[in-house]
Amino acid sequence: PMANAPTKSSTALNDVWDDYAGGVDYRGKEFKFDPLNLAETYPPLVPWFRECEIRHGRTAMLAVVGFIAEDKVRIPGEMYSFDAIPKTIDAHDALLKTGPMYQLLLFIGLWDIIITPMAMKATGDGEREPGDFGFTQFAPKDPAALAKKKESELLNGRLAMIAVGGIATQSIVTGHGFPYI
């Protein structure tokens, strides 16, 4: 009988994650993955964890599209051409030498310095949900459809975080671009 009894950590984990999207996997089964028990150990930081997960997921989704698109299309300019950077995986190092990566670092750094503290304060005060920056012009009006979109974004972001690592690894190992075989 004791083997089936819930432990303190599984109950606490379920309580913490019950209010968040993404607690159900693509098969419709419960998915509350927290092997380090961070949600139980630091309950006030759970909104921060979710904000980070959503932000990294969005970044990874853009990175996957960027990795694939850059193998076929480049923006104008000699420093971005296929002659200057034949393989997408080499773009990081090449663009560090010419300067555009520093601009990217500046813009991302400014966003994090200016927006993130206010956003996280508002999240902590209950004024906004993690990941919500108010860009809802194209969001579904129906709350159930919006919840499904949020869950879809979260699951796609999780997949993209793994995919971008696989894309980078395959690109380095094989030396080829898309389809990385």
Side-chain angles (χ1 to χ4, degrees):
M2 293 300 278
N4 294 332
T7 63
K8 178 181 177 244
S9 49
S10 69
T11 304
L13 178 64
N14 288 337
D15 291 345
V16 171
W17 289 113
D18 282 344
D19 296 333
Y20 288 92
V24 176
D25 70 7
Y26 66 93
R27 299 168 298 174
K29 297 189 179 184
E30 208 172 80
F31 184 76
K32 296 177 180 177
F33 182 73
D34 187 10
L36 299 177
N37 289 326
L38 295 175
E40 179 185 349
T41 308
Y42 307 105
L45 295 178
V46 170
W48 172 258
F49 298 152
R50 178 49 57 97
E51 177 86 20
C52 293
E53 180 180 20
I54 292 170
R55 187 177 294 186
H56 285 90
R58 289 173 179 165
T59 303
M61 287 186 277
L62 288 171
V64 167
V65 171
F67 252 111
I68 294 169
E70 284 297 306
D71 283 331
K72 305 297 177 197
V73 180
R74 298 287 171 93
I75 60 175
E78 180 56 36
M79 78 167 74
Y80 307 110
S81 71
F82 286 104
D83 292 332
I85 307 170
K87 293 190 271 182
T88 302
I89 198 69
D90 298 331
H92 177 272
D93 294 340
L95 296 176
L96 265 176
K97 294 174 186 168
T98 56
M101 292 297 281
Y102 297 110
Q103 287 178 324
L104 189 61
L105 176 65
L106 174 70
F107 295 139
I108 293 170
L110 285 174
W111 173 271
D112 275 344
I113 290 169
I114 296 169
I115 303 296
T116 301
M118 294 182 295
M120 289 317 302
K121 179 169 180 357
T123 301
D125 293 344
E127 298 170 9
R128 83 185 259 283
E129 290 185 34
D132 181 11
F133 289 100
F135 303 127
T136 57
Q137 294 83 351
F138 303 108
K141 304 298 180 222
D142 178 38
L146 181 61
K148 184 149 178 65
K149 288 284 187 187
K150 286 181 179 182
E151 192 166 297
S152 176
E153 177 189 30
L154 190 62
L155 294 174
N156 287 330
R158 289 172 179 169
L159 176 63
M161 286 187 266
I162 294 181
V164 75
I167 288 171
T169 302
Q170 280 296 104
S171 187
I172 291 169
V173 169
T174 65
H176 298 110
F178 183 76
Y180 311 108
I181 52 175

